[in-house]
Amino acid sequence: MAQAGVYGRRLGEPLQLKDAPSLITRTLRSAELAVTETRNDSPVRDMSGSLPADDAYLVSLKFRDYDDCECWEQGRYVTKSNIRRGATYLYDLKRDPRYVIDKPFHSIFFYLPRSALDDVARQAGAPRVDELAYEPGIGHDDGVIRHLGASLLEALKRPEETNQLFVDHMMLAFTAHVAQTYGGLRRITAPARGGLAAWQAKQACDRLASDLGGKIRLQQIATEFGLSVGHFSRAFRISTGLPPHQWLLQQRLKVAKQLMAARDLSLSEIAITAGFANQSHFTRVFSAVVGVSPAAWRREMHRPARSES
C-alpha cells in the first residue's frame, strides 16, 4: 500500500534528505499518525521543496538553533525569524509551508491529520476543532512537546527496540495535547472514572502478555472491548496502576527473572524469549529498572546461601 501521509520519505525528500526515519501509529480509528526525524549537517543552499498538500498539520520540535530562517507560505514570503533549540513550530500542509535551507538543521516532525483531531473531539464529546492556532515562523515554548519529542527521538534511534504500545501511547498523548493547546478542545462529557471490569482487565492483560514483543496495537485491544483507545488506556491504568506499555515492560522483566532463576539459558536467549530486541536492549532496560545488570542479578540469585555458624 502506498504511503499517504507526509512523513518519512515524503517529508525528507523536499528537505534534501535521503533518510528520514519514522515511527507510525494507527491508534485512532480513522487516522494515521507519524513522527519523523529530519537532520542534515551539510545542506546545499536552496528553497525547500513543496510538501504534498494535505488536510493535516506538521508539528515540529527543533533540536538545533537556526538563525534567520526565511519562511514562506502559498508561494509568498512570510517572515524571517531565529529558531531556537527546544521550540515547537506548527505548519499547515494546506498552505504549502517552505523555508530557505542554508544551515545545518535537526528536528522531528509530528504528522497530524485532520481526521485525528476529529477523532479526539468525538472521543471527548466536544465540538470539532476548527483550525489550530499558529503564526508562521513563530515558535512556542511547549514543555509537553519537548518531553514527548525527546522520548520519541530516542525511539527513532533504536526502532528495533521500540514496542508499538509505547508509540501508540505517546502519539495519543501528543494528539490530545495539540487539540487542547492549539485547537481549543474542551471536553463536554466527563471522562470515564472507573477501571475495566475484572474480566476485561484479565483479558486485556492476557492479550498483552501473549505478545511480549509489543507488536499488538492499542486500537486492536480497545476495539475488542468496544472502547475508544483513550477510554481503554485510562481504564487500564486505573485497573492495573500502569499504562499498557509500562505494564508490558514489567511483564517482560518478570519473565526474564523467572528464566534467569529457573533455567540455564544464555542472556541472549532470555532477552528474545522475554520480548526484548536483543541482549543489549535487555541489559540496558533491566539495569535501568532493577538497578543491576542481568548478569549481576543472576549471579546473586544463584549464589549459595551462607550458613550460620
Side-chain angles (χ1 to χ4, degrees):
M1 182 182 295
Q3 177 187 318
V6 182
Y7 57 83
R9 178 184 56 80
R10 297 186 86 204
L11 173 61
E13 287 184 352
L15 300 180
Q16 304 181 5
L17 302 176
K18 294 181 179 179
D19 183 38
S22 295
L23 297 171
I24 305 163
T25 180
R26 295 172 180 82
T27 298
L28 297 166
R29 293 177 190 273
S30 60
E32 183 175 70
L33 301 158
V35 60
T36 302
E37 181 182 12
T38 61
R39 179 169 184 167
N40 192 334
D41 294 326
S42 54
V44 176
R45 179 182 171 84
D46 198 1
M47 176 75 79
S48 65
S50 287
L51 297 165
D54 195 353
D55 190 8
Y57 293 89
L58 292 175
V59 179
S60 180
L61 174 65
K62 308 303 182 182
F63 294 108
R64 189 168 189 165
D65 291 348
Y66 196 100
D67 290 337
D68 297 326
C69 181
E70 188 176 311
C71 302
W72 292 61
E73 277 196 350
Q74 297 179 315
R76 298 177 181 176
Y77 168 82
V78 175
T79 189
K80 182 181 286 189
S81 60
N82 294 329
I83 287 177
R84 290 293 169 252
R85 177 180 181 180
T88 294
Y89 289 78
L90 279 70
Y91 307 90
D92 187 341
L93 286 170
K94 299 188 301 296
R95 300 177 63 85
D96 187 25
R98 303 174 73 183
Y99 74 99
V100 175
I101 300 175
D102 58 359
K103 297 176 224 33
F105 60 86
H106 186 200
S107 310
I108 62 170
F109 284 86
F110 295 87
Y111 170 68
L112 179 60
R114 156 65 58 188
S115 54
L117 294 172
D118 291 344
D119 276 347
V120 166
R122 273 195 301 272
Q123 291 182 12
R128 184 176 186 265
V129 173
D130 185 15
E131 298 288 342
L132 298 184
Y134 83 101
E135 293 182 56
I138 304 301
H140 302 265
D141 181 17
D142 192 322
V144 173
I145 297 295
R146 279 200 303 275
H147 169 73
L148 294 172
S151 297
L152 286 165
L153 182 62
E154 289 301 310
L156 283 160
K157 291 177 180 177
R158 300 186 181 96
E160 72 284 354
E161 298 180 6
T162 302
N163 78 68
Q164 188 63 46
L165 291 175
F166 169 78
V167 178
D168 291 352
H169 177 82
M170 299 298 275
M171 294 301 288
L172 183 64
F174 158 77
T175 306
H177 171 73
V178 170
Q180 293 167 4
T181 304
Y182 304 102
L185 178 71
R186 293 293 179 267
R187 182 185 294 275
I188 293 178
T189 59
R193 297 186 180 277
L196 299 169
W199 69 268
Q200 290 177 319
K202 181 180 184 306
Q203 186 172 318
C205 288
D206 289 346
R207 193 82 167 83
L208 290 171
S210 70
D211 177 27
L212 290 175
K215 302 303 182 186
I216 193 169
R217 295 180 180 274
L218 275 179
Q219 175 65 59
Q220 186 176 341
I221 302 176
T223 300
E224 292 174 5
F225 296 112
L227 302 174
S228 71
V229 173
H231 185 170
F232 170 76
S233 295
R234 286 190 298 272
F236 185 92
R237 185 168 192 163
I238 291 170
S239 294
T240 67
L242 294 169
H245 72 283
Q246 290 185 4
W247 185 92
L248 181 63
L249 174 60
Q250 293 300 321
Q251 289 301 115
R252 286 174 168 178
L253 294 173
K254 178 181 176 181
V255 169
K257 287 179 177 179
Q258 290 171 344
L259 293 172
M260 285 192 290
R263 299 182 63 183
D264 187 22
L265 295 173
S266 70
L267 291 180
S268 178
E269 291 172 314
I270 290 171
I272 300 302
T273 303
F276 294 94
N278 48 50
Q279 184 177 339
S280 175
H281 180 211
F282 171 45
T283 299
R284 187 164 53 254
V285 172
F286 190 96
S287 300
V289 175
V290 180
V292 297
S293 70
W297 188 92
R298 175 184 251 181
R299 284 195 300 271
E300 186 64 28
M301 172 62 61
H302 292 285
R303 179 179 295 172
R306 292 183 179 179
S307 59
E308 297 288 341
S309 57

